Amino acid sequence: ILTILGNSAVLATAVKRSSLLKSPELLTVNLAVADIGMALSMYPLAIASAWNHAWLGGDASCVYYALMGFLFGVCSMMTLCAMAVIRFLVTSSSKSNGNKITKNTVCILIAFIWLYSLLWAILPLLGWGYYGPEPFGISCTIAWSKFHNSPNGFSFILSMFLLCTVLPALTIVACYLGIAWKVHKAYQEIQNIDRMPNAAKLEKKLTLMAVLISVGFLSSWTPYAAASFWSIFNSSDSLQPVVTLLPCLFAKSSTAYNPFIYYVFSKTFRCEVRKLQGCCGWRVHYFSSDNSGEHPVSTMWSG
């Protein structure tokens, strides 16, 4: 519910402010699409299976569930990686160079992200890797336990781990470390020439928001990755069902965090959410001080 409501608010705000959106913000919209897609295509089936105390449907529904999870998971990871790279390029480049990142460029990048994610998702269907049920039996994913005795499966998981997890994560960390250094140097220069650091404060705020989005995603999926890799080299019976269930639920919660981060860091997004609440018949109080000094272009709701 939180995922659908929160990300629907993000998408509604993006549509309403489409003329003001900067090109990198399309990646934030793509991240919301991936999150709400995961919630709509997967969570109802998982919840129904939990109430049933067993997986509903046969192998077909299991493969569908695992494929959707892999598709949207890789898409989210690669979108976060692209966001980090673009924020690094915008922060490191001059204003004229930063403007070269057009909406067409970002749209092409988003299309590549979806094609890349779809390729990895269908590879197990083509015979490289496997899909199967989770050890606790009420959801499905990559069949990790089959890989320790299958060269085909092990090569898939090793390649997937490097190209869809390790390299994107290292890229994200490297980009944000580079941004932190650039912002630090910018603050020193601004203090030296005694200028008001409004631009630097905005850049720091947007960067912190993007960092929190990435940290939230990586933190949510790390316990699940650890439990999955344990099952590669050990029997799935070596872990209690609750030990494998809790990391899976924690990973699914990653789709609900981002709208709250936007709400905390962006006055513009808060304003739009209040307007949406007003359209739904909820009583909302507005304070003129919230909007008095805000420029609609300089303060954007996404990283």
Side-chain angles (χ1 to χ4, degrees), residues 246-292:
L246 292 180
C248 182
L249 296 178
F250 191 45
K252 286 181 171 62
S253 70
S254 65
T255 58
Y257 299 154
N258 296 340
F260 291 97
I261 297 174
Y262 304 147
Y263 192 86
V264 170
F265 282 87
S266 173
K267 289 183 179 179
T268 304
F269 184 62
R270 287 199 297 271
C271 257
E272 295 297 335
V273 169
R274 290 169 183 170
K275 291 178 183 178
L276 289 174
Q277 291 174 339
C279 293
C280 294
W282 299 342
R283 185 178 179 182
V284 182
H285 298 280
Y286 290 89
F287 299 93
S288 58
S289 59
D290 287 344
N291 301 324
S292 58

Side-chain angles (χ1 to χ4, degrees), residues 149-283:
N149 57 2
S150 170
N152 177 40
F154 187 79
S155 63
F156 171 78
I157 192 59
L158 182 61
S159 301
M160 184 273 292
F161 179 67
L162 291 176
L163 298 178
C164 299
T165 305
V166 174
L167 289 180
L170 290 178
T171 301
I172 291 171
V173 172
C175 286
Y176 287 131
L177 287 177
I179 291 173
W181 175 251
K182 292 289 184 180
V183 171
H184 173 70
K185 297 296 289 184
Y187 263 95
Q188 287 185 334
E189 294 176 1
I190 289 171
Q191 291 174 358
N192 290 337
I193 62 178
D194 195 25
R195 291 170 54 188
M196 292 297 292
N198 292 332
K201 285 183 178 179
L202 178 61
E203 191 67 32
K204 182 179 179 180
K205 184 178 181 180
L206 294 177
T207 301
L208 179 59
M209 184 166 62
V211 168
L212 289 177
I213 293 170
S214 299
V215 169
F217 182 86
L218 295 175
S219 300
S220 299
W221 282 92
T222 297
Y224 178 77
S228 299
F229 271 85
W230 173 269
S231 64
I232 293 176
F233 304 101
N234 301 274
S235 172
S236 58
D237 297 333
S238 61
L239 295 176
Q240 294 295 325
V242 68
V243 177
T244 57
L245 173 62
L246 292 180
C248 182
L249 296 178
F250 191 45
K252 286 181 171 62
S253 70
S254 65
T255 58
Y257 299 154
N258 296 340
F260 291 97
I261 297 174
Y262 304 147
Y263 192 86
V264 170
F265 282 87
S266 173
K267 289 183 179 179
T268 304
F269 184 62
R270 287 199 297 271
C271 257
E272 295 297 335
V273 169
R274 290 169 183 170
K275 291 178 183 178
L276 289 174
Q277 291 174 339
C279 293
C280 294
W282 299 342
R283 185 178 179 182

Side-chain angles (χ1 to χ4, degrees), residues 27-43:
L27 290 170
T28 304
V29 177
N30 189 58
L31 189 62
V33 170
D35 288 343
I36 201 170
M38 182 177 289
L40 292 175
S41 64
M42 298 172 57
Y43 294 175

Side-chain angles (χ1 to χ4, degrees), residues 56-78:
L56 290 176
D59 293 339
S61 64
C62 184
V63 170
Y64 159 80
Y65 184 94
L67 186 145
M68 290 295 105
F70 198 18
L71 171 65
F72 290 120
V74 174
C75 180
S76 296
M77 185 64 171
M78 300 310 297

